[in-house]
Amino acid sequence: MTQSTMSNTLFIGMDVHKESIAVAYVPYDHGAEVTYLGAIGTRQADIDQLVRKLQSKAKHLVFVYEAGPCGYWLYRYLSKKGHAYWVVAPSLIPKKAGGRVKTDRRDAIQLARLMRSGDLTPVYVPKLEDEAIRDLTRAREDATQDLKAAKFRLKAFLLRHDIRYTGRANWGAAHLRWLSEVVCATPAQHIVFQEYVRSVDTITERLQRLEQELQDQVASWRLNPVVEALQVLRGVPFTVAVILVAELGDLTRFDHPSQLMNDLGQWR
């Protein structure tokens, strides 16, 4: 921005929640105090009303909020309307010594102030289609974890009642045939056993559906060539390649390998 543009700019800090957004703003002038506007709703009409109110004070608006469970919809909505917008990582926001008490008001004011001083670091916001593939990979991971839990509950039930499988590998064809022949000591226990088996079957089918959908969706994804290239590496199957690319996004945003490694380090 030019000096004239900056002098006509407001920096707006937003503490975003499910049903409300706390808002504070401050002009570019470093002698100006931060003004807390209060909380607004999260409907698009509420956002539009806020923008009109702020545009009566300055021509250029720069919004900022912390990355969190509410996602990127607000970023995309305001960016589509031509406003500058940053999403910042909570872990990278400078903290004052002793400033442990957090309130919506304090968070919004702090964001506005730090945005003006240039002390915030934006996070990468994926394109909508890239986030969609990320959502699909995470849904698959959820199904994988659910399946592990369901199998564990079934095995724990069988062990508790000394019902033992003498074969070698669990969950193979022979093991599944054995499960279909198990009869528990009482009708009530057999009902529980059948429900545990049914749970494993249901989640297995869900996982298979998600894996097939992932194959189908990635085939037309703009980053599919990167996914295919990664699979050339030894030990990198399709699922690993997709998860890596979906989480990292467009790799061309990294100018140096050290930037990529720094981004990977933030996953831990």
Side-chain angles (χ1 to χ4, degrees):
M1 291 185 185
T2 64
Q3 187 65 30
S4 59
T5 299
M6 293 295 287
S7 62
N8 195 23
T9 298
L10 284 184
F11 298 97
I12 302 104
M14 309 179 79
D15 192 40
V16 181
H17 298 281
K18 179 182 177 182
E19 302 294 344
S20 66
I21 303 174
V23 182
Y25 70 87
V26 63
Y28 173 72
D29 180 7
H30 283 263
E33 292 295 324
V34 181
T35 300
Y36 179 64
L37 279 182
I40 65 171
T42 57
R43 299 174 304 169
Q44 292 183 0
D46 299 320
I47 307 301
D48 292 340
Q49 183 179 5
L50 171 67
V51 170
R52 288 193 297 269
K53 183 175 182 177
L54 294 173
Q55 283 183 323
S56 68
K57 303 178 184 298
K59 182 178 180 181
H60 302 285
L61 306 179
V62 180
F63 296 87
V64 60
Y65 79 103
E66 295 181 27
C70 292
Y72 303 118
W73 70 268
L74 187 56
Y75 168 91
R76 294 190 177 112
Y77 182 72
L78 286 170
S79 296
K80 189 181 296 184
K81 290 184 171 292
H83 302 295
Y85 211 117
W86 281 29
V87 182
V88 298
S91 61
L92 298 180
I93 296 176
K95 301 292 193 301
K96 287 185 178 181
R100 296 182 179 179
V101 178
K102 286 174 60 67
T103 67
D104 296 349
R105 177 191 180 104
R106 287 188 180 186
D107 287 349
I109 290 174
Q110 182 190 37
L111 286 170
R113 183 182 294 118
L114 291 174
M115 188 67 187
R116 179 180 63 179
S117 63
D119 291 322
L120 293 177
T121 303
V123 300
Y124 171 69
V125 178
K127 292 181 179 294
L128 183 60
E129 57 269 32
D130 298 345
E131 188 179 21
I133 298 298
R134 180 188 294 179
D135 286 339
L136 199 50
T137 63
R138 290 179 178 180
R140 177 200 167 275
E141 178 61 21
D142 288 341
T144 300
Q145 295 302 318
D146 290 345
L147 183 57
K148 288 181 179 178
K151 287 181 176 179
F152 177 82
R153 285 191 292 268
L154 174 58
K155 291 171 67 176
F157 174 84
L158 294 174
L159 179 61
R160 192 163 65 246
H161 296 288
D162 196 31
I163 303 174
R164 300 174 183 271
Y165 176 60
T166 57
R168 292 185 177 181
N170 287 332
W171 313 113
H175 183 231
L176 295 177
R177 284 196 299 272
W178 175 80
L179 284 174
S180 68
E181 297 169 356
V182 169
V183 178
C184 296
T186 69
Q189 290 170 331
H190 195 68
I191 289 172
V192 174
F193 166 74
Q194 288 179 318
E195 289 299 325
Y196 281 147
V197 171
R198 187 174 292 113
S199 178
V200 170
D201 292 342
T202 299
I203 299 172
T204 298
E205 292 172 1
R206 171 158 63 95
L207 179 58
Q208 291 171 347
R209 288 196 304 270
L210 286 168
E211 289 180 338
Q212 184 58 56
E213 290 293 344
L214 195 59
Q215 291 274 358
D216 296 342
Q217 295 295 321
V218 169
S220 58
W221 187 26
R222 71 184 186 93
L223 297 179
N224 186 41
V226 184
V227 174
E228 293 180 342
L230 285 173
Q231 292 178 76
V232 175
L233 301 174
R234 180 178 297 178
V236 182
F238 170 78
T239 302
V240 172
V242 173
I243 292 173
L244 183 63
V245 176
E247 294 295 338
L248 285 175
D250 191 347
L251 297 179
T252 60
R253 65 192 176 93
F254 300 108
D255 296 325
H256 191 274
S258 62
Q259 294 176 324
L260 170 60
M261 298 309 295
N262 181 63
D263 196 83
L264 287 172
Q266 294 178 23
W267 288 10
R268 296 191 303 175

Short mmCIF file of all heavy atoms in Angstrom, two decimals, residues 56-104:
data_model
loop_
_atom_site.label_atom_id
_atom_site.label_comp_id
_atom_site.label_asym_id
_atom_site.label_seq_id
_atom_site.Cartn_x
_atom_site.Cartn_y
_atom_site.Cartn_z
N SER A 56 -17.70 3.95 6.13
CA SER A 56 -18.01 5.36 6.34
C SER A 56 -16.88 6.06 7.09
O SER A 56 -16.84 7.30 7.16
CB SER A 56 -19.32 5.50 7.13
OG SER A 56 -19.15 5.03 8.46
N LYS A 57 -15.95 5.27 7.66
CA LYS A 57 -14.83 5.82 8.41
C LYS A 57 -13.53 5.80 7.62
O LYS A 57 -12.64 6.63 7.85
CB LYS A 57 -14.63 5.03 9.72
CG LYS A 57 -15.88 4.99 10.61
CD LYS A 57 -15.63 4.16 11.86
CE LYS A 57 -16.89 4.02 12.70
NZ LYS A 57 -17.37 5.34 13.18
N ALA A 58 -13.39 4.84 6.72
CA ALA A 58 -12.17 4.73 5.91
C ALA A 58 -12.49 3.96 4.63
O ALA A 58 -13.36 3.08 4.62
CB ALA A 58 -11.06 4.04 6.68
N LYS A 59 -11.75 4.27 3.58
CA LYS A 59 -12.00 3.63 2.28
C LYS A 59 -11.47 2.21 2.24
O LYS A 59 -12.09 1.31 1.69
CB LYS A 59 -11.37 4.46 1.17
CG LYS A 59 -11.62 3.91 -0.23
CD LYS A 59 -11.01 4.81 -1.29
CE LYS A 59 -11.26 4.26 -2.69
NZ LYS A 59 -10.64 5.12 -3.73
N HIS A 60 -10.30 2.01 2.84
CA HIS A 60 -9.64 0.70 2.78
C HIS A 60 -9.79 -0.04 4.10
O HIS A 60 -9.45 0.51 5.16
CB HIS A 60 -8.16 0.87 2.43
CG HIS A 60 -7.93 1.58 1.13
ND1 HIS A 60 -8.13 0.98 -0.09
CD2 HIS A 60 -7.54 2.87 0.86
CE1 HIS A 60 -7.87 1.84 -1.06
NE2 HIS A 60 -7.51 3.00 -0.50
N LEU A 61 -10.25 -1.27 4.03
CA LEU A 61 -10.47 -2.08 5.22
C LEU A 61 -9.59 -3.33 5.15
O LEU A 61 -9.55 -4.02 4.13
CB LEU A 61 -11.94 -2.50 5.33
CG LEU A 61 -12.99 -1.38 5.28
CD1 LEU A 61 -14.39 -1.98 5.37
CD2 LEU A 61 -12.76 -0.37 6.39
N VAL A 62 -8.90 -3.60 6.25
CA VAL A 62 -8.07 -4.81 6.35
C VAL A 62 -8.55 -5.60 7.56
O VAL A 62 -8.43 -5.15 8.69
CB VAL A 62 -6.58 -4.46 6.51
CG1 VAL A 62 -5.75 -5.74 6.60
CG2 VAL A 62 -6.10 -3.60 5.35
N PHE A 63 -9.10 -6.78 7.31
CA PHE A 63 -9.68 -7.62 8.37
C PHE A 63 -8.68 -8.70 8.78
O PHE A 63 -7.86 -9.17 7.97
CB PHE A 63 -10.96 -8.29 7.88
CG PHE A 63 -12.07 -7.33 7.56
CD1 PHE A 63 -12.18 -6.76 6.30
CD2 PHE A 63 -13.02 -7.01 8.52
CE1 PHE A 63 -13.22 -5.88 6.00
CE2 PHE A 63 -14.06 -6.13 8.23
CZ PHE A 63 -14.15 -5.55 6.98
N VAL A 64 -8.79 -9.15 10.04
CA VAL A 64 -7.94 -10.23 10.51
C VAL A 64 -8.69 -11.01 11.58
O VAL A 64 -9.41 -10.44 12.39
CB VAL A 64 -6.60 -9.70 11.06
CG1 VAL A 64 -6.81 -8.75 12.23
CG2 VAL A 64 -5.68 -10.85 11.49
N TYR A 65 -8.54 -12.34 11.57
CA TYR A 65 -9.07 -13.17 12.65
C TYR A 65 -8.22 -14.43 12.79
O TYR A 65 -7.42 -14.75 11.90
CB TYR A 65 -10.55 -13.51 12.42
CG TYR A 65 -10.86 -14.61 11.43
CD1 TYR A 65 -11.22 -15.89 11.85
CD2 TYR A 65 -10.85 -14.36 10.07
CE1 TYR A 65 -11.55 -16.88 10.93
CE2 TYR A 65 -11.19 -15.34 9.14
CZ TYR A 65 -11.53 -16.59 9.59
OH TYR A 65 -11.84 -17.58 8.68
N GLU A 66 -8.35 -15.09 13.91
CA GLU A 66 -7.57 -16.29 14.19
C GLU A 66 -8.17 -17.50 13.50
O GLU A 66 -9.39 -17.67 13.46
CB GLU A 66 -7.53 -16.56 15.70
CG GLU A 66 -6.81 -15.53 16.52
CD GLU A 66 -6.79 -15.89 18.00
OE1 GLU A 66 -6.85 -17.10 18.31
OE2 GLU A 66 -6.74 -14.98 18.83
N ALA A 67 -7.29 -18.35 12.98
CA ALA A 67 -7.75 -19.63 12.43
C ALA A 67 -8.36 -20.45 13.56
O ALA A 67 -7.85 -20.46 14.68
CB ALA A 67 -6.58 -20.38 11.81
N GLY A 68 -9.47 -21.12 13.28
CA GLY A 68 -10.14 -21.89 14.32
C GLY A 68 -11.23 -22.77 13.76
O GLY A 68 -11.29 -23.01 12.54
N PRO A 69 -12.11 -23.26 14.61
CA PRO A 69 -13.14 -24.21 14.18
C PRO A 69 -14.18 -23.64 13.22
O PRO A 69 -14.91 -24.40 12.60
CB PRO A 69 -13.79 -24.65 15.51
CG PRO A 69 -13.52 -23.51 16.45
CD PRO A 69 -12.16 -23.00 16.05
N CYS A 70 -14.26 -22.31 13.12
CA CYS A 70 -15.26 -21.72 12.23
C CYS A 70 -14.80 -21.68 10.77
O CYS A 70 -15.56 -21.24 9.90
CB CYS A 70 -15.62 -20.30 12.70
SG CYS A 70 -16.51 -20.27 14.27
N GLY A 71 -13.57 -22.11 10.52
CA GLY A 71 -13.12 -22.27 9.14
C GLY A 71 -12.83 -20.97 8.42
O GLY A 71 -12.55 -19.93 9.04
N TYR A 72 -12.93 -21.03 7.08
CA TYR A 72 -12.50 -19.91 6.23
C TYR A 72 -13.65 -19.21 5.52
O TYR A 72 -13.41 -18.41 4.61
CB TYR A 72 -11.51 -20.42 5.18
CG TYR A 72 -10.28 -21.10 5.76
CD1 TYR A 72 -10.02 -22.44 5.49
CD2 TYR A 72 -9.40 -20.40 6.57
CE1 TYR A 72 -8.89 -23.06 6.02
CE2 TYR A 72 -8.28 -21.01 7.10
CZ TYR A 72 -8.02 -22.34 6.81
OH TYR A 72 -6.91 -22.96 7.35
N TRP A 73 -14.89 -19.49 5.91
CA TRP A 73 -16.01 -18.90 5.17
C TRP A 73 -15.98 -17.37 5.22
O TRP A 73 -16.28 -16.70 4.22
CB TRP A 73 -17.35 -19.43 5.71
CG TRP A 73 -17.70 -18.92 7.09
CD1 TRP A 73 -17.40 -19.51 8.28
CD2 TRP A 73 -18.38 -17.70 7.40
NE1 TRP A 73 -17.86 -18.74 9.32
CE2 TRP A 73 -18.47 -17.63 8.82
CE3 TRP A 73 -18.93 -16.67 6.65
CZ2 TRP A 73 -19.09 -16.57 9.48
CZ3 TRP A 73 -19.55 -15.61 7.31
CH2 TRP A 73 -19.62 -15.57 8.70
N LEU A 74 -15.63 -16.82 6.38
CA LEU A 74 -15.62 -15.36 6.52
C LEU A 74 -14.53 -14.75 5.65
O LEU A 74 -14.73 -13.72 5.00
CB LEU A 74 -15.41 -14.98 7.99
CG LEU A 74 -15.53 -13.50 8.35
CD1 LEU A 74 -16.87 -12.94 7.91
CD2 LEU A 74 -15.34 -13.31 9.85
N TYR A 75 -13.37 -15.39 5.62
CA TYR A 75 -12.28 -14.94 4.75
C TYR A 75 -12.73 -14.92 3.30
O TYR A 75 -12.52 -13.93 2.58
CB TYR A 75 -11.08 -15.88 4.93
CG TYR A 75 -9.99 -15.71 3.90
CD1 TYR A 75 -8.94 -14.83 4.11
CD2 TYR A 75 -10.02 -16.43 2.70
CE1 TYR A 75 -7.93 -14.67 3.16
CE2 TYR A 75 -9.03 -16.27 1.74
CZ TYR A 75 -8.00 -15.40 1.97
OH TYR A 75 -7.01 -15.24 1.02
N ARG A 76 -13.36 -15.99 2.87
CA ARG A 76 -13.78 -16.08 1.46
C ARG A 76 -14.89 -15.09 1.14
O ARG A 76 -14.91 -14.50 0.06
CB ARG A 76 -14.22 -17.51 1.15
CG ARG A 76 -13.07 -18.53 1.22
CD ARG A 76 -13.47 -19.88 0.69
NE ARG A 76 -12.34 -20.80 0.71
CZ ARG A 76 -12.24 -21.86 1.49
NH1 ARG A 76 -13.23 -22.14 2.34
NH2 ARG A 76 -11.19 -22.64 1.46
N TYR A 77 -15.78 -14.90 2.08
CA TYR A 77 -16.90 -13.98 1.84
C TYR A 77 -16.40 -12.55 1.67
O TYR A 77 -16.77 -11.85 0.73
CB TYR A 77 -17.90 -14.05 3.00
CG TYR A 77 -19.11 -13.16 2.80
CD1 TYR A 77 -20.08 -13.48 1.85
CD2 TYR A 77 -19.28 -12.00 3.54
CE1 TYR A 77 -21.19 -12.67 1.64
CE2 TYR A 77 -20.38 -11.18 3.35
CZ TYR A 77 -21.34 -11.52 2.40
OH TYR A 77 -22.43 -10.70 2.20
N LEU A 78 -15.53 -12.09 2.58
CA LEU A 78 -15.04 -10.72 2.51
C LEU A 78 -14.03 -10.54 1.37
O LEU A 78 -14.00 -9.48 0.73
CB LEU A 78 -14.41 -10.32 3.83
CG LEU A 78 -15.41 -10.07 4.97
CD1 LEU A 78 -14.70 -9.94 6.31
CD2 LEU A 78 -16.25 -8.83 4.69
N SER A 79 -13.24 -11.55 1.09
CA SER A 79 -12.29 -11.46 -0.02
C SER A 79 -13.02 -11.35 -1.34
O SER A 79 -12.60 -10.61 -2.24
CB SER A 79 -11.37 -12.68 -0.02
OG SER A 79 -10.58 -12.73 1.14
N LYS A 80 -14.13 -12.07 -1.47
CA LYS A 80 -14.92 -12.02 -2.69
C LYS A 80 -15.48 -10.61 -2.93
O LYS A 80 -15.70 -10.18 -4.06
CB LYS A 80 -16.06 -13.04 -2.63
CG LYS A 80 -16.82 -13.22 -3.94
CD LYS A 80 -17.93 -14.23 -3.79
CE LYS A 80 -17.39 -15.61 -3.48
NZ LYS A 80 -18.47 -16.64 -3.42
N LYS A 81 -15.67 -9.88 -1.84
CA LYS A 81 -16.19 -8.52 -1.94
C LYS A 81 -15.08 -7.49 -2.12
O LYS A 81 -15.33 -6.28 -2.12
CB LYS A 81 -17.02 -8.18 -0.71
CG LYS A 81 -18.35 -8.94 -0.67
CD LYS A 81 -19.17 -8.52 0.52
CE LYS A 81 -20.57 -9.13 0.43
NZ LYS A 81 -21.35 -8.57 -0.68
N GLY A 82 -13.83 -7.98 -2.24
CA GLY A 82 -12.73 -7.08 -2.55
C GLY A 82 -11.99 -6.51 -1.37
O GLY A 82 -11.16 -5.61 -1.52
N HIS A 83 -12.24 -7.04 -0.16
CA HIS A 83 -11.56 -6.53 1.02
C HIS A 83 -10.32 -7.36 1.34
O HIS A 83 -10.29 -8.57 1.10
CB HIS A 83 -12.51 -6.53 2.22
CG HIS A 83 -13.74 -5.72 2.00
ND1 HIS A 83 -13.73 -4.36 1.84
CD2 HIS A 83 -15.05 -6.09 1.89
CE1 HIS A 83 -14.96 -3.92 1.65
NE2 HIS A 83 -15.77 -4.95 1.68
N ALA A 84 -9.30 -6.69 1.90
CA ALA A 84 -8.10 -7.41 2.33
C ALA A 84 -8.42 -8.19 3.60
O ALA A 84 -9.11 -7.68 4.48
CB ALA A 84 -6.96 -6.43 2.58
N TYR A 85 -7.91 -9.44 3.65
CA TYR A 85 -8.26 -10.28 4.80
C TYR A 85 -7.09 -11.19 5.12
O TYR A 85 -6.49 -11.77 4.24
CB TYR A 85 -9.50 -11.12 4.48
CG TYR A 85 -10.33 -11.39 5.71
CD1 TYR A 85 -11.63 -10.92 5.83
CD2 TYR A 85 -9.81 -12.10 6.78
CE1 TYR A 85 -12.39 -11.16 6.96
CE2 TYR A 85 -10.54 -12.33 7.92
CZ TYR A 85 -11.84 -11.87 8.00
OH TYR A 85 -12.56 -12.10 9.13
N TRP A 86 -6.79 -11.28 6.41
CA TRP A 86 -5.76 -12.20 6.90
C TRP A 86 -6.38 -13.18 7.88
O TRP A 86 -7.24 -12.81 8.68
CB TRP A 86 -4.65 -11.44 7.63
CG TRP A 86 -3.65 -10.78 6.73
CD1 TRP A 86 -3.87 -10.30 5.47
CD2 TRP A 86 -2.28 -10.51 7.03
NE1 TRP A 86 -2.72 -9.74 4.97
CE2 TRP A 86 -1.73 -9.85 5.91
CE3 TRP A 86 -1.48 -10.74 8.15
CZ2 TRP A 86 -0.40 -9.43 5.87
CZ3 TRP A 86 -0.15 -10.33 8.11
CH2 TRP A 86 0.38 -9.70 6.98
N VAL A 87 -5.93 -14.42 7.79
CA VAL A 87 -6.22 -15.41 8.83
C VAL A 87 -4.87 -15.73 9.46
O VAL A 87 -3.91 -16.03 8.75
CB VAL A 87 -6.86 -16.68 8.25
CG1 VAL A 87 -7.19 -17.66 9.37
CG2 VAL A 87 -8.11 -16.34 7.46
N VAL A 88 -4.80 -15.66 10.79
CA VAL A 88 -3.51 -15.85 11.46
C VAL A 88 -3.58 -17.06 12.39
O VAL A 88 -4.64 -17.41 12.91
CB VAL A 88 -3.09 -14.60 12.25
CG1 VAL A 88 -2.92 -13.43 11.30
CG2 VAL A 88 -4.11 -14.25 13.32
N ALA A 89 -2.42 -17.67 12.59
CA ALA A 89 -2.33 -18.83 13.48
C ALA A 89 -2.28 -18.36 14.93
O ALA A 89 -1.45 -17.52 15.27
CB ALA A 89 -1.09 -19.65 13.15
N PRO A 90 -3.14 -18.89 15.81
CA PRO A 90 -3.11 -18.49 17.22
C PRO A 90 -1.74 -18.70 17.86
O PRO A 90 -1.32 -17.91 18.70
CB PRO A 90 -4.17 -19.39 17.86
CG PRO A 90 -5.11 -19.72 16.75
CD PRO A 90 -4.25 -19.80 15.52
N SER A 91 -1.04 -19.75 17.45
CA SER A 91 0.26 -20.05 18.05
C SER A 91 1.34 -19.03 17.69
O SER A 91 2.38 -18.95 18.34
CB SER A 91 0.73 -21.44 17.62
OG SER A 91 0.87 -21.51 16.21
N LEU A 92 1.10 -18.23 16.63
CA LEU A 92 2.10 -17.27 16.19
C LEU A 92 1.76 -15.83 16.58
O LEU A 92 2.44 -14.90 16.18
CB LEU A 92 2.25 -17.35 14.65
CG LEU A 92 2.73 -18.69 14.09
CD1 LEU A 92 2.83 -18.63 12.58
CD2 LEU A 92 4.07 -19.08 14.69
N ILE A 93 0.69 -15.66 17.37
CA ILE A 93 0.33 -14.32 17.83
C ILE A 93 1.19 -13.96 19.03
O ILE A 93 1.24 -14.70 20.01
CB ILE A 93 -1.17 -14.26 18.21
CG1 ILE A 93 -2.04 -14.53 16.97
CG2 ILE A 93 -1.52 -12.91 18.82
CD1 ILE A 93 -3.52 -14.59 17.28
N PRO A 94 1.90 -12.81 18.97
CA PRO A 94 2.73 -12.41 20.12
C PRO A 94 1.91 -12.29 21.40
O PRO A 94 0.79 -11.78 21.38
CB PRO A 94 3.27 -11.04 19.68
CG PRO A 94 3.19 -11.06 18.18
CD PRO A 94 1.97 -11.87 17.86
N LYS A 95 2.45 -12.78 22.49
CA LYS A 95 1.75 -12.75 23.78
C LYS A 95 2.52 -11.85 24.75
O LYS A 95 3.73 -11.89 24.82
CB LYS A 95 1.65 -14.16 24.37
CG LYS A 95 0.91 -15.16 23.48
CD LYS A 95 -0.56 -14.84 23.37
CE LYS A 95 -1.34 -15.99 22.75
NZ LYS A 95 -0.91 -16.36 21.40
N LYS A 96 1.79 -11.04 25.48
CA LYS A 96 2.39 -10.21 26.52
C LYS A 96 2.60 -11.03 27.78
O LYS A 96 1.78 -11.89 28.12
CB LYS A 96 1.49 -9.01 26.84
CG LYS A 96 1.47 -7.93 25.77
CD LYS A 96 0.65 -6.74 26.24
CE LYS A 96 0.65 -5.63 25.20
NZ LYS A 96 -0.14 -4.45 25.66
N ALA A 97 3.68 -10.76 28.49
CA ALA A 97 3.93 -11.45 29.75
C ALA A 97 2.82 -11.13 30.74
O ALA A 97 2.48 -9.97 30.96
CB ALA A 97 5.28 -11.01 30.33
N GLY A 98 2.26 -12.17 31.32
CA GLY A 98 1.18 -11.98 32.29
C GLY A 98 -0.19 -11.79 31.68
O GLY A 98 -1.18 -11.68 32.40
N GLY A 99 -0.27 -11.75 30.35
CA GLY A 99 -1.58 -11.53 29.71
C GLY A 99 -2.32 -12.83 29.47
O GLY A 99 -2.60 -13.19 28.33
N ARG A 100 -2.63 -13.53 30.52
CA ARG A 100 -3.27 -14.84 30.38
C ARG A 100 -4.79 -14.77 30.31
O ARG A 100 -5.44 -15.70 29.88
CB ARG A 100 -2.86 -15.73 31.57
CG ARG A 100 -1.36 -16.03 31.61
CD ARG A 100 -1.02 -16.96 32.77
NE ARG A 100 0.41 -17.28 32.79
CZ ARG A 100 0.98 -18.04 33.70
NH1 ARG A 100 0.24 -18.57 34.68
NH2 ARG A 100 2.28 -18.29 33.66
N VAL A 101 -5.37 -13.68 30.80
CA VAL A 101 -6.82 -13.56 30.79
C VAL A 101 -7.29 -13.21 29.38
O VAL A 101 -6.89 -12.19 28.81
CB VAL A 101 -7.29 -12.47 31.78
CG1 VAL A 101 -8.81 -12.34 31.72
CG2 VAL A 101 -6.83 -12.81 33.19
N LYS A 102 -8.11 -14.08 28.81
CA LYS A 102 -8.59 -13.87 27.45
C LYS A 102 -10.09 -13.59 27.48
O LYS A 102 -10.85 -14.30 28.13
CB LYS A 102 -8.32 -15.11 26.59
CG LYS A 102 -6.86 -15.27 26.20
CD LYS A 102 -6.62 -16.57 25.47
CE LYS A 102 -7.43 -16.70 24.19
NZ LYS A 102 -7.00 -15.74 23.17
N THR A 103 -10.48 -12.55 26.76
CA THR A 103 -11.90 -12.26 26.55
C THR A 103 -12.07 -11.93 25.08
O THR A 103 -11.09 -11.63 24.36
CB THR A 103 -12.37 -11.07 27.40
OG1 THR A 103 -11.70 -9.87 26.94
CG2 THR A 103 -12.06 -11.29 28.88
N ASP A 104 -13.30 -11.99 24.59
CA ASP A 104 -13.55 -11.66 23.19
C ASP A 104 -13.10 -10.24 22.89
O ASP A 104 -12.51 -9.97 21.83
CB ASP A 104 -15.04 -11.81 22.88
CG ASP A 104 -15.52 -13.24 23.04
OD1 ASP A 104 -14.66 -14.14 23.18
OD2 ASP A 104 -16.75 -13.47 23.04
#
